[in-house]
Amino acid sequence: MPKVSIVVPVYNVEQYLRQCLDSIVTQTMKDIEIICVDDGSTDCSGKIIDKYAAADRRIKVLHKANAGYGAAMNAGIRLAEGDYIGIVESDDRIAPEMYETLYEAAVNHDLDFVKSDAYYWFEKMGYKKRVHDNSLNAVYDQVLGEDERNIFFDFFMNIWTGIYRREFLLQNDISFHESAGASYQDNGFWMQTCFYAKKAMWLNEAFYHYRQDNPEASVKSTSKMMVMTKEYEYLEKTIKARHQEYLLPYVYAMRLVRLKGTFYRIEDEQKYDFVSQIKKDYAKYKAYIKYNRYIDNWMRKLLRSPKKYCDNLIEKKKNVKNRIVESEGVIIYGAGKQGDIAMRILYNEGLYGKINCFAVSDEPENVLLGLKDVLKVEKAHERYPDSLYLLAVVPGTKAYSDMRERMDRIGVHDFLQMTDFLEKFNYI
């Protein structure tokens, strides 16, 4: 019996698949099985996994007709024989010590699941950024039980940075929603693991490289307007069938939170129609986000005048993009968290090539960020005098004021700021 079974759902990923599999077969933990589920690929993905299986007896391959991500994952889990089950998306990669470290923690603390952090990973520009919430530092590396269940939902939402006890999944009938052709079936699986785990842990380490530069990734889809709503309808139906209504507040609160992400992700022309879904859900579930002022305020603002809100949003997005496209290039002033977000938004909008460099107020600690130079702001202005500046810092902070003063001194008075991006452009 292997210690860990790793399920890899595969569908038309020939460009990335070898790199993914190489990162799994070279794990420092050797007692693993690798279950590759080919969900009806029409490219060379099926041949690639067959070749790997011929060279490594730990690899099992299941070729099946295309039925969607959820069906592929459930098929892989049914084949698994390991004590714990891990998941790796076939366009991502993992660090060599990932499963050895996770398994040791799981066994030592008798955990239902253990997770870690991830990196946002842009292979094409040689860049990765760790996803970590400093506000949760006190509960990293701690065994969390049922009294801490609310905290489970505060960590980065994903299903692939950890391992799950196989018996835990089976005993609680945790599986994926099998909706053919849909996306986001990981939402229901993630919530169920958080519902039922009696002991869990998040390690203050990062092993998983979450690819951001695959244009075919489902998370980048802008056309599936109702998929997220259907996923939460499925989850609600499942919970009611189990007579576990006490869990429904989690479902309803997360359903509303995810509506906001969907609103920004879908095509602009779909936003007008999607407002009706937001209005319906808000009327029904608003009590569950009473203390989430950020989401509650956003929804009330949108619903006060939906057409005006959408019109303004779309017009502002258009104006911002036009300014960038027509510029001599962009200097992102700020190389911290906000600068990272600005760069990812520009990348997702196909505007990464417009970035001239990053600028900072003091001598830079790093000379490159995402293959772009990091320069002291005065030097950046000297090198790219006609650039459009993006002030990548939270407005109203001391850092914002200090950066504005420096820009005034070098003669920069016209610029974009983060409020021109946040609440307008989708980013992962």
Side-chain angles (χ1 to χ4, degrees), residues 3 31 57 89 185 251 283 314 358 372 424:
K3 293 177 179 177
D31 191 5
R57 60 182 178 80
E89 302 292 351
Q185 291 102 331
V251 178
I314 294 168
F358 286 84
K372 301 294 183 179
K424 296 178 180 66

Side-chain angles (χ1 to χ4, degrees), residues 193-206:
T193 59
C194 291
F195 288 160
Y196 301 126
K198 291 183 170 56
K199 293 174 68 177
M201 179 182 284
W202 278 259
L203 303 183
N204 195 358
E205 299 181 72

Side-chain angles (χ1 to χ4, degrees), residues 223-257:
S223 61
K224 299 177 180 179
M225 184 169 68
M226 299 303 296
V227 170
M228 191 71 72
T229 297
K230 296 297 184 184
E231 180 70 8
Y232 281 88
E233 289 175 353
Y234 155 78
L235 190 56
E236 178 181 2
K237 181 179 179 181
T238 299
I239 294 304
K240 287 181 175 178
R242 295 172 181 174
H243 305 291
Q244 297 169 337
E245 284 79 4
Y246 64 93
L247 294 172
L248 289 176
Y250 290 113
V251 178
Y252 298 148
M254 190 58 65
R255 175 172 177 153
L256 289 183
V257 169

